[in-house]
Amino acid sequence: MDREPLFRRKTSISYKTEEKTVMRGYDLSELAEEGYSFCDALFVLYQNRIPTDNEEKMLKYEMGVFMEHSMSPSAVAAIGVSAGRPNLPCAVAAAITTFGGVHGPGAAHGYMMNKYLVRAQKEGKTLDEMAKTLVDEYMDAKKPVMGMGQPQHIDSDPRAEPIHVKHEELELTGVYLEFQRAVEKHFHARRKKEGRSYVGVNVVGAGNAALTEIGFAPNAAWCLGSVCRGFSCAAHALFNMKKGRAWGASRNEPMVQMIDLSMIKYIGPEDREVPTQDERQEYAKKQKEEGEYKKWVI
Amino acid sequence: MGNLGDKKGIGNLDSPKMPFDYSKREYGTVPLDTKRAPFQWVSEVAYKNVHRIVSRGYDTTEVMEQGYGVVDMLFVDYQARIPLIEEEKMLNYVMILALEDGLSMPAAISRLVAKSKTFLTQACGASILAFGHAYGAYSAFGNRLEEYLQKVDEEGKSLEEVAELLVKENLNDEALGASSLMLKDPAAKRMFARAEKFGVAGKHIAFTKKIVKAAQKISAEPVDLDMLGAIGATMMDLGFSPEATWAILAVTRSFAAGAHYIEEVEREEYMKIGQTLTPKEDYDGPADRPVPPLKDREKFAKPALTRTSEEWKKAFDERKKIYGSGYSIVEEIEDPSKKSGIKKVGKL
């Protein structure tokens, strides 16, 4: 049996011999035998350290509250992929890869905070002053302030404030929560001044403030959230695989299915004749000259 | 189901900081919204009914019966038009050149996935994920081309001036389109020659040529047009957007990834979990150390908490030394719905 490594690379994360697997210096079996949790191990993996009790509790809370979110883009992706009945991991992978610029953009929020924290330092401003700068700069540029607003939980994300309060209860309030709270304060004040409706903090704003506070870099925090969501999306995919109809188009189901033909609304070019090959070149030239097609180019 | 009435005293949920009364939150799903049109899958691209599939107005079966093919269909789907014969030929040329690249990343990923006894489609799908803003960076390349070409129109600068500016600002970027990769392989330049021969070369190829010249002027090492620049510019002269190019070429390569999957399965063995060793000599992390007793956790734990900007900065710099922590990476991630998402990705 070939047991050679697939890649010859240096790594400071782990090594593995025939006797043991060691991550950041700790034998994984010993870590587990000693009673540390999976969340503890995530600190060792990303931060090379054993966390305090409260830090571990914070991570456990954040991941627990983030894992399931019913129908959001990630679950929809998992369900959509599962309709074709591939191997389950395909549906899970699709779910995790929905996390991008606007769905659970944990990394972006973290980078935003770090950028402004660096500026606060350089410009000698307090966190409160810099939070106002952030809000003004984003809102002046008509860009959404990351970490605020949720399209489904319009009265405020029910996970968000409890995360903040847990963050405080665990006595983990540091630079990040202070800054995030200040961002929220200035955001609310500006919207109020402009006569706009209340938009609460979302799970990214609250959760990411907590994750960064306990030492996770933006990408690490993003990974924790997105991959954790993969657990629940797998459940949604499995439910549909075991109890739903493949394809999602059956006319025998009592409810109209996801991709029933009647679910399609087409707003593209009018139906038209396909040109013959004899007509093709003239037809194609005319189409290019007229340029009407350009409005449909994606 | 028990008492689902008002609930008080659960954890922190009675805190006055909560945005609404958590004890009075309703159960149950939201009733159907009958004031708005019911949900439908809205598309400009295609529709189907019981008897037809129609893309951009053309019945796809009729398109094929009329002698068109899949390459023509790419123009129909992405551009809503029938291509000129020369355009179809050029896209065929590009796709052939883009199909295979030896044991490069998409093939390697496909082979790794194959070793786990998966469906072939998992390996093909994984290979597509290798296309980012460095490898196969057609989106980054194309959007930059568009951005700088706008300066020609808006700022009245010449193509040469703008090309020089682009190179000055992006010389070491992976998505420049000019590099030392193809100094001995004429394939990239032959692609431009073919586009010119077919009469489909336009402003993107012309601009890319200027970029190559500008890069050759200031680069410390010899550089020339590379495959990214050749394919990216040609595709845009064929009318494809940077994003369409990215998708079409990633999928094109995935066909080859399928072959790599098959060969891997045919010639090699599957891998079991735990089979692959990582020799200690490849590990440069902390030395082996005893796991501290759980009861002594607080003695050993180093809290991450920082309370002032100065402490935060110090801790941040310290964490950069830990590979795998993510502290040495910075990204700017924007709403990708219009363009290509991550604009800048890289190390600090």
Side-chain angles (χ1 to χ4, degrees), chain A residues 71-129:
Chain A
M71 293 304 144
S72 53
S74 43
V76 169
I79 293 165
V81 171
S82 75
R85 296 298 185 263
N87 279 330
L88 181 62
C90 300
V92 185
I96 293 168
T97 48
T98 58
F99 283 85
V102 297
H103 179 39
H109 174 264
Y111 287 119
M112 176 188 79
M113 286 202 294
N114 285 345
K115 190 169 143 187
Y116 282 86
L117 285 170
V118 168
R119 275 184 58 183
Q121 255 235 328
K122 282 186 181 161
E123 296 171 23
K125 288 187 176 168
T126 64
L127 295 183
D128 189 71
E129 287 165 342

Short mmCIF file of all heavy atoms in Angstrom, two decimals, chain A residues 71-129:
data_model
loop_
_atom_site.label_atom_id
_atom_site.label_comp_id
_atom_site.label_asym_id
_atom_site.label_seq_id
_atom_site.Cartn_x
_atom_site.Cartn_y
_atom_site.Cartn_z
N MET A 71 -34.60 27.92 5.59
CA MET A 71 -34.40 28.20 4.16
C MET A 71 -33.62 29.48 3.90
O MET A 71 -34.17 30.57 3.87
CB MET A 71 -35.77 28.31 3.45
CG MET A 71 -36.52 27.02 3.42
SD MET A 71 -35.56 25.70 2.64
CE MET A 71 -36.09 24.33 3.64
N SER A 72 -32.34 29.34 3.78
CA SER A 72 -31.49 30.44 3.33
C SER A 72 -30.76 29.91 2.10
O SER A 72 -30.92 28.74 1.73
CB SER A 72 -30.54 30.85 4.45
OG SER A 72 -29.85 29.74 4.93
N PRO A 73 -29.96 30.74 1.42
CA PRO A 73 -29.34 30.27 0.16
C PRO A 73 -28.60 28.94 0.31
O PRO A 73 -28.64 28.10 -0.60
CB PRO A 73 -28.38 31.41 -0.20
CG PRO A 73 -29.03 32.62 0.37
CD PRO A 73 -29.67 32.17 1.66
N SER A 74 -27.96 28.72 1.45
CA SER A 74 -27.18 27.49 1.60
C SER A 74 -28.09 26.26 1.61
O SER A 74 -27.80 25.26 0.94
CB SER A 74 -26.34 27.56 2.87
OG SER A 74 -27.07 28.08 3.95
N ALA A 75 -29.19 26.32 2.35
CA ALA A 75 -30.11 25.16 2.40
C ALA A 75 -30.77 24.96 1.05
O ALA A 75 -30.95 23.82 0.59
CB ALA A 75 -31.16 25.38 3.48
N VAL A 76 -31.14 26.06 0.41
CA VAL A 76 -31.78 25.96 -0.91
C VAL A 76 -30.82 25.29 -1.90
O VAL A 76 -31.23 24.44 -2.71
CB VAL A 76 -32.21 27.37 -1.39
CG1 VAL A 76 -32.62 27.34 -2.85
CG2 VAL A 76 -33.37 27.88 -0.54
N ALA A 77 -29.54 25.66 -1.82
CA ALA A 77 -28.55 25.04 -2.71
C ALA A 77 -28.45 23.54 -2.44
O ALA A 77 -28.44 22.73 -3.37
CB ALA A 77 -27.19 25.70 -2.50
N ALA A 78 -28.42 23.18 -1.18
CA ALA A 78 -28.30 21.76 -0.83
C ALA A 78 -29.52 20.99 -1.35
O ALA A 78 -29.39 19.90 -1.92
CB ALA A 78 -28.18 21.61 0.68
N ILE A 79 -30.68 21.58 -1.16
CA ILE A 79 -31.91 20.91 -1.61
C ILE A 79 -31.94 20.82 -3.14
O ILE A 79 -32.28 19.78 -3.71
CB ILE A 79 -33.15 21.66 -1.07
CG1 ILE A 79 -33.21 21.51 0.45
CG2 ILE A 79 -34.43 21.16 -1.72
CD1 ILE A 79 -34.16 22.48 1.14
N GLY A 80 -31.54 21.92 -3.77
CA GLY A 80 -31.51 21.93 -5.24
C GLY A 80 -30.58 20.86 -5.79
O GLY A 80 -30.94 20.12 -6.70
N VAL A 81 -29.39 20.77 -5.22
CA VAL A 81 -28.43 19.77 -5.70
C VAL A 81 -28.94 18.36 -5.41
O VAL A 81 -28.82 17.46 -6.23
CB VAL A 81 -27.04 20.01 -5.06
CG1 VAL A 81 -26.09 18.85 -5.37
CG2 VAL A 81 -26.44 21.31 -5.57
N SER A 82 -29.53 18.19 -4.25
CA SER A 82 -29.99 16.84 -3.87
C SER A 82 -31.10 16.34 -4.80
O SER A 82 -31.33 15.14 -4.91
CB SER A 82 -30.47 16.81 -2.41
OG SER A 82 -31.73 17.44 -2.29
N ALA A 83 -31.78 17.28 -5.48
CA ALA A 83 -32.87 16.88 -6.38
C ALA A 83 -32.37 15.97 -7.49
O ALA A 83 -33.13 15.16 -8.03
CB ALA A 83 -33.54 18.12 -6.97
N GLY A 84 -31.08 16.08 -7.84
CA GLY A 84 -30.52 15.23 -8.88
C GLY A 84 -29.98 13.92 -8.34
O GLY A 84 -29.47 13.10 -9.09
N ARG A 85 -30.06 13.75 -7.03
CA ARG A 85 -29.59 12.53 -6.35
C ARG A 85 -28.12 12.19 -6.63
O ARG A 85 -27.79 11.07 -7.03
CB ARG A 85 -30.48 11.32 -6.70
CG ARG A 85 -31.93 11.48 -6.23
CD ARG A 85 -32.01 11.59 -4.71
NE ARG A 85 -33.40 11.61 -4.24
CZ ARG A 85 -34.08 12.72 -3.95
NH1 ARG A 85 -33.52 13.91 -4.06
NH2 ARG A 85 -35.32 12.65 -3.50
N PRO A 86 -27.24 13.16 -6.43
CA PRO A 86 -25.81 12.83 -6.45
C PRO A 86 -25.45 12.25 -5.09
O PRO A 86 -26.32 12.07 -4.23
CB PRO A 86 -25.16 14.19 -6.64
CG PRO A 86 -26.06 15.11 -5.90
CD PRO A 86 -27.46 14.54 -6.06
N ASN A 87 -24.16 12.01 -4.87
CA ASN A 87 -23.75 11.65 -3.51
C ASN A 87 -24.02 12.83 -2.59
O ASN A 87 -23.87 14.00 -2.99
CB ASN A 87 -22.25 11.33 -3.47
CG ASN A 87 -21.98 9.92 -3.94
OD1 ASN A 87 -22.81 9.03 -3.78
ND2 ASN A 87 -20.82 9.71 -4.53
N LEU A 88 -24.38 12.54 -1.37
CA LEU A 88 -24.74 13.60 -0.42
C LEU A 88 -23.68 14.70 -0.29
O LEU A 88 -24.03 15.88 -0.19
CB LEU A 88 -25.04 12.97 0.95
CG LEU A 88 -25.46 13.91 2.06
CD1 LEU A 88 -26.76 14.63 1.71
CD2 LEU A 88 -25.62 13.15 3.37
N PRO A 89 -22.37 14.36 -0.27
CA PRO A 89 -21.39 15.44 -0.12
C PRO A 89 -21.48 16.53 -1.18
O PRO A 89 -21.10 17.67 -0.92
CB PRO A 89 -20.05 14.71 -0.21
CG PRO A 89 -20.34 13.33 0.26
CD PRO A 89 -21.72 13.02 -0.26
N CYS A 90 -22.00 16.20 -2.36
CA CYS A 90 -22.13 17.24 -3.40
C CYS A 90 -23.11 18.32 -2.94
O CYS A 90 -22.88 19.52 -3.14
CB CYS A 90 -22.64 16.64 -4.70
SG CYS A 90 -21.55 15.39 -5.36
N ALA A 91 -24.19 17.90 -2.32
CA ALA A 91 -25.19 18.86 -1.83
C ALA A 91 -24.59 19.70 -0.70
O ALA A 91 -24.82 20.91 -0.61
CB ALA A 91 -26.44 18.12 -1.35
N VAL A 92 -23.81 19.05 0.16
CA VAL A 92 -23.21 19.76 1.29
C VAL A 92 -22.18 20.77 0.78
O VAL A 92 -22.12 21.92 1.23
CB VAL A 92 -22.56 18.77 2.28
CG1 VAL A 92 -22.03 19.51 3.49
CG2 VAL A 92 -23.55 17.70 2.70
N ALA A 93 -21.37 20.33 -0.19
CA ALA A 93 -20.35 21.23 -0.75
C ALA A 93 -21.02 22.43 -1.41
O ALA A 93 -20.56 23.57 -1.26
CB ALA A 93 -19.49 20.48 -1.75
N ALA A 94 -22.11 22.19 -2.12
CA ALA A 94 -22.81 23.30 -2.77
C ALA A 94 -23.32 24.28 -1.72
O ALA A 94 -23.23 25.50 -1.88
CB ALA A 94 -23.98 22.76 -3.59
N ALA A 95 -23.83 23.75 -0.62
CA ALA A 95 -24.35 24.61 0.44
C ALA A 95 -23.24 25.50 1.01
O ALA A 95 -23.41 26.71 1.15
CB ALA A 95 -24.94 23.75 1.55
N ILE A 96 -22.12 24.89 1.29
CA ILE A 96 -21.02 25.65 1.90
C ILE A 96 -20.50 26.71 0.93
O ILE A 96 -20.17 27.82 1.34
CB ILE A 96 -19.88 24.70 2.34
CG1 ILE A 96 -20.37 23.82 3.49
CG2 ILE A 96 -18.63 25.46 2.75
CD1 ILE A 96 -19.46 22.65 3.84
N THR A 97 -20.50 26.37 -0.35
CA THR A 97 -19.96 27.35 -1.31
C THR A 97 -20.95 28.47 -1.63
O THR A 97 -20.61 29.39 -2.36
CB THR A 97 -19.51 26.65 -2.61
OG1 THR A 97 -20.53 25.77 -3.05
CG2 THR A 97 -18.23 25.88 -2.41
N THR A 98 -22.16 28.42 -1.08
CA THR A 98 -23.04 29.59 -1.27
C THR A 98 -22.56 30.77 -0.43
O THR A 98 -22.97 31.91 -0.67
CB THR A 98 -24.51 29.32 -0.86
OG1 THR A 98 -24.54 28.93 0.50
CG2 THR A 98 -25.17 28.31 -1.74
N PHE A 99 -21.73 30.51 0.55
CA PHE A 99 -21.30 31.61 1.42
C PHE A 99 -20.31 32.48 0.65
O PHE A 99 -19.17 32.12 0.44
CB PHE A 99 -20.67 31.08 2.71
CG PHE A 99 -21.73 30.60 3.66
CD1 PHE A 99 -22.24 29.34 3.58
CD2 PHE A 99 -22.23 31.46 4.62
CE1 PHE A 99 -23.24 28.90 4.43
CE2 PHE A 99 -23.23 31.05 5.48
CZ PHE A 99 -23.74 29.76 5.39
N GLY A 100 -20.80 33.63 0.22
CA GLY A 100 -20.00 34.53 -0.60
C GLY A 100 -20.08 35.94 -0.09
O GLY A 100 -20.03 36.19 1.11
N GLY A 101 -20.23 36.87 -1.04
CA GLY A 101 -20.20 38.27 -0.65
C GLY A 101 -21.40 38.74 0.13
O GLY A 101 -21.32 39.70 0.90
N VAL A 102 -22.54 38.09 -0.04
CA VAL A 102 -23.74 38.59 0.64
C VAL A 102 -24.44 37.57 1.53
O VAL A 102 -25.38 37.92 2.23
CB VAL A 102 -24.77 39.16 -0.37
CG1 VAL A 102 -24.20 40.35 -1.10
CG2 VAL A 102 -25.22 38.10 -1.37
N HIS A 103 -24.03 36.33 1.52
CA HIS A 103 -24.65 35.33 2.40
C HIS A 103 -23.62 34.95 3.46
O HIS A 103 -22.62 34.33 3.17
CB HIS A 103 -25.07 34.12 1.58
CG HIS A 103 -25.68 33.00 2.39
ND1 HIS A 103 -26.56 33.22 3.43
CD2 HIS A 103 -25.57 31.66 2.28
CE1 HIS A 103 -26.93 32.05 3.93
NE2 HIS A 103 -26.34 31.09 3.26
N GLY A 104 -23.90 35.37 4.68
CA GLY A 104 -22.96 35.08 5.76
C GLY A 104 -21.55 35.54 5.48
O GLY A 104 -20.61 34.77 5.60
N PRO A 105 -21.39 36.82 5.08
CA PRO A 105 -20.04 37.28 4.68
C PRO A 105 -19.15 37.56 5.89
O PRO A 105 -18.71 38.68 6.12
CB PRO A 105 -20.33 38.56 3.88
CG PRO A 105 -21.57 39.10 4.51
CD PRO A 105 -22.37 37.92 5.00
N GLY A 106 -18.90 36.53 6.66
CA GLY A 106 -18.15 36.69 7.90
C GLY A 106 -16.76 37.26 7.71
O GLY A 106 -16.32 38.11 8.48
N ALA A 107 -16.07 36.81 6.68
CA ALA A 107 -14.71 37.29 6.48
C ALA A 107 -14.73 38.77 6.14
O ALA A 107 -13.94 39.56 6.66
CB ALA A 107 -14.02 36.50 5.38
N ALA A 108 -15.66 39.16 5.26
CA ALA A 108 -15.71 40.55 4.83
C ALA A 108 -15.96 41.47 6.02
O ALA A 108 -15.34 42.53 6.15
CB ALA A 108 -16.81 40.73 3.79
N HIS A 109 -16.86 41.06 6.90
CA HIS A 109 -17.15 41.87 8.08
C HIS A 109 -15.91 41.98 8.97
O HIS A 109 -15.58 43.05 9.49
CB HIS A 109 -18.32 41.25 8.86
CG HIS A 109 -18.61 41.92 10.15
ND1 HIS A 109 -18.10 41.46 11.35
CD2 HIS A 109 -19.33 43.02 10.44
CE1 HIS A 109 -18.52 42.27 12.32
NE2 HIS A 109 -19.27 43.20 11.79
N GLY A 110 -15.20 40.88 9.11
CA GLY A 110 -13.99 40.88 9.93
C GLY A 110 -12.90 41.77 9.34
O GLY A 110 -12.26 42.54 10.05
N TYR A 111 -12.73 41.66 8.02
CA TYR A 111 -11.72 42.52 7.37
C TYR A 111 -12.10 43.98 7.49
O TYR A 111 -11.24 44.84 7.66
CB TYR A 111 -11.54 42.13 5.90
CG TYR A 111 -10.80 40.82 5.74
CD1 TYR A 111 -11.37 39.73 5.13
CD2 TYR A 111 -9.50 40.68 6.23
CE1 TYR A 111 -10.70 38.53 5.01
CE2 TYR A 111 -8.82 39.49 6.11
CZ TYR A 111 -9.42 38.42 5.49
OH TYR A 111 -8.74 37.24 5.38
N MET A 112 -13.39 44.25 7.40
CA MET A 112 -13.86 45.64 7.55
C MET A 112 -13.48 46.15 8.94
O MET A 112 -12.92 47.25 9.09
CB MET A 112 -15.37 45.70 7.35
CG MET A 112 -15.98 47.08 7.58
SD MET A 112 -17.79 47.04 7.57
CE MET A 112 -18.13 46.39 9.21
N MET A 113 -13.76 45.34 9.97
CA MET A 113 -13.45 45.79 11.33
C MET A 113 -11.94 46.01 11.49
O MET A 113 -11.50 47.04 12.03
CB MET A 113 -13.93 44.75 12.36
CG MET A 113 -15.43 44.75 12.54
SD MET A 113 -15.95 44.03 14.12
CE MET A 113 -15.46 42.34 13.91
N ASN A 114 -11.16 45.05 11.01
CA ASN A 114 -9.70 45.17 11.16
C ASN A 114 -9.16 46.41 10.46
O ASN A 114 -8.29 47.11 10.98
CB ASN A 114 -9.00 43.93 10.63
CG ASN A 114 -9.15 42.75 11.59
OD1 ASN A 114 -9.52 42.92 12.75
ND2 ASN A 114 -8.88 41.55 11.11
N LYS A 115 -9.71 46.67 9.27
CA LYS A 115 -9.24 47.83 8.51
C LYS A 115 -9.46 49.12 9.29
O LYS A 115 -8.59 49.98 9.38
CB LYS A 115 -10.03 47.86 7.19
CG LYS A 115 -9.55 48.83 6.17
CD LYS A 115 -10.27 48.52 4.85
CE LYS A 115 -10.60 49.77 4.08
NZ LYS A 115 -11.43 49.48 2.91
N TYR A 116 -10.64 49.23 9.88
CA TYR A 116 -10.95 50.46 10.61
C TYR A 116 -10.25 50.49 11.98
O TYR A 116 -9.95 51.57 12.49
CB TYR A 116 -12.46 50.65 10.72
CG TYR A 116 -13.04 51.19 9.43
CD1 TYR A 116 -13.41 50.32 8.41
CD2 TYR A 116 -13.17 52.56 9.20
CE1 TYR A 116 -13.90 50.79 7.20
CE2 TYR A 116 -13.66 53.05 8.00
CZ TYR A 116 -14.02 52.16 7.00
OH TYR A 116 -14.50 52.64 5.80
N LEU A 117 -10.00 49.33 12.55
CA LEU A 117 -9.25 49.32 13.82
C LEU A 117 -7.82 49.78 13.58
O LEU A 117 -7.23 50.52 14.39
CB LEU A 117 -9.26 47.91 14.43
CG LEU A 117 -10.58 47.49 15.09
CD1 LEU A 117 -10.58 46.01 15.44
CD2 LEU A 117 -10.87 48.32 16.33
N VAL A 118 -7.25 49.37 12.45
CA VAL A 118 -5.90 49.84 12.11
C VAL A 118 -5.93 51.35 11.92
O VAL A 118 -5.06 52.07 12.41
CB VAL A 118 -5.39 49.12 10.83
CG1 VAL A 118 -4.14 49.80 10.30
CG2 VAL A 118 -5.12 47.65 11.12
N ARG A 119 -6.97 51.84 11.24
CA ARG A 119 -7.07 53.29 11.02
C ARG A 119 -7.22 54.04 12.35
O ARG A 119 -6.67 55.12 12.53
CB ARG A 119 -8.26 53.60 10.11
CG ARG A 119 -7.90 53.48 8.65
CD ARG A 119 -9.05 53.87 7.75
NE ARG A 119 -9.52 55.23 7.97
CZ ARG A 119 -10.56 55.76 7.34
NH1 ARG A 119 -11.22 55.03 6.46
NH2 ARG A 119 -10.93 57.00 7.58
N ALA A 120 -8.00 53.47 13.25
CA ALA A 120 -8.18 54.12 14.55
C ALA A 120 -6.83 54.32 15.23
O ALA A 120 -6.54 55.37 15.79
CB ALA A 120 -9.10 53.28 15.43
N GLN A 121 -6.02 53.29 15.12
CA GLN A 121 -4.68 53.35 15.71
C GLN A 121 -3.82 54.41 15.05
O GLN A 121 -3.22 55.25 15.69
CB GLN A 121 -4.03 51.98 15.49
CG GLN A 121 -3.96 51.12 16.71
CD GLN A 121 -2.53 50.70 16.94
OE1 GLN A 121 -1.79 50.53 15.98
NE2 GLN A 121 -2.15 50.55 18.18
N LYS A 122 -3.81 54.35 13.72
CA LYS A 122 -2.95 55.27 12.96
C LYS A 122 -3.40 56.72 13.09
O LYS A 122 -2.58 57.63 13.15
CB LYS A 122 -2.95 54.88 11.48
CG LYS A 122 -2.05 53.69 11.18
CD LYS A 122 -1.97 53.44 9.69
CE LYS A 122 -1.09 52.22 9.42
NZ LYS A 122 -1.30 51.67 8.10
N GLU A 123 -4.74 56.91 13.10
CA GLU A 123 -5.25 58.28 13.11
C GLU A 123 -5.50 58.79 14.53
O GLU A 123 -5.98 59.91 14.72
CB GLU A 123 -6.55 58.34 12.29
CG GLU A 123 -6.32 58.02 10.81
CD GLU A 123 -7.62 57.87 10.02
OE1 GLU A 123 -8.66 58.41 10.45
OE2 GLU A 123 -7.58 57.19 8.98
N GLY A 124 -5.18 57.96 15.52
CA GLY A 124 -5.32 58.37 16.91
C GLY A 124 -6.76 58.62 17.32
O GLY A 124 -7.04 59.50 18.14
N LYS A 125 -7.70 57.88 16.73
CA LYS A 125 -9.11 58.08 17.06
C LYS A 125 -9.58 57.02 18.03
O LYS A 125 -9.04 55.91 18.08
CB LYS A 125 -9.96 58.00 15.78
CG LYS A 125 -9.80 59.20 14.87
CD LYS A 125 -10.80 59.12 13.74
CE LYS A 125 -10.71 60.37 12.87
NZ LYS A 125 -11.45 60.23 11.62
N THR A 126 -10.61 57.36 18.79
CA THR A 126 -11.20 56.35 19.68
C THR A 126 -12.00 55.37 18.82
O THR A 126 -12.33 55.65 17.67
CB THR A 126 -12.15 56.99 20.71
OG1 THR A 126 -13.25 57.55 19.99
CG2 THR A 126 -11.45 58.06 21.53
N LEU A 127 -12.34 54.24 19.43
CA LEU A 127 -13.13 53.25 18.68
C LEU A 127 -14.48 53.85 18.30
O LEU A 127 -15.00 53.59 17.21
CB LEU A 127 -13.32 51.98 19.52
CG LEU A 127 -12.03 51.19 19.83
CD1 LEU A 127 -12.38 49.92 20.60
CD2 LEU A 127 -11.29 50.83 18.55
N ASP A 128 -15.05 54.63 19.20
CA ASP A 128 -16.35 55.24 18.92
C ASP A 128 -16.25 56.21 17.74
O ASP A 128 -17.09 56.20 16.84
CB ASP A 128 -16.84 55.97 20.18
CG ASP A 128 -18.27 56.44 20.02
OD1 ASP A 128 -19.17 55.57 20.01
OD2 ASP A 128 -18.49 57.66 19.87
N GLU A 129 -15.20 57.02 17.73
CA GLU A 129 -15.02 57.97 16.61
C GLU A 129 -14.83 57.21 15.30
O GLU A 129 -15.39 57.58 14.26
CB GLU A 129 -13.80 58.86 16.87
CG GLU A 129 -14.01 59.90 17.95
CD GLU A 129 -12.69 60.53 18.43
OE1 GLU A 129 -11.60 59.95 18.20
OE2 GLU A 129 -12.77 61.59 19.05
#
